[in-house]
Amino acid sequence: MRTEEETKYDLNERIFELYDGGMSVKSISTRLDTTVDYVNSVLSDQPTET
């Protein structure tokens, strides 16, 4: 059985994959059945490479 943390990690990874593939935030939230605010928060927490 998967833990809540594993499930959240998988969801976040899926958000990054879809966004990197060119999907809009609204489309991602609809497809993954989550809120636009959550998708935006995940994307804003992504570290940037220097």
Side-chain angles (χ1 to χ4, degrees):
M1 187 164 220
R2 292 167 33 134
T3 66
E4 184 177 332
E5 191 167 311
E6 289 171 323
T7 302
K8 184 177 178 183
Y9 176 83
D10 289 345
L11 175 62
N12 293 354
E13 285 298 305
R14 191 75 181 116
I15 289 170
F16 290 132
E17 289 171 9
L18 293 172
Y19 188 75
D20 288 344
M23 188 175 279
S24 72
V25 170
K26 184 173 180 175
S27 295
I28 294 169
S29 69
T30 301
R31 178 179 240 178
L32 299 180
D33 194 30
T34 190
T35 65
V36 169
D37 287 339
Y38 182 77
V39 174
N40 280 325
S41 73
V42 169
L43 294 173
S44 70
D45 287 343
Q46 183 178 19
T48 55
E49 294 182 18
T50 56

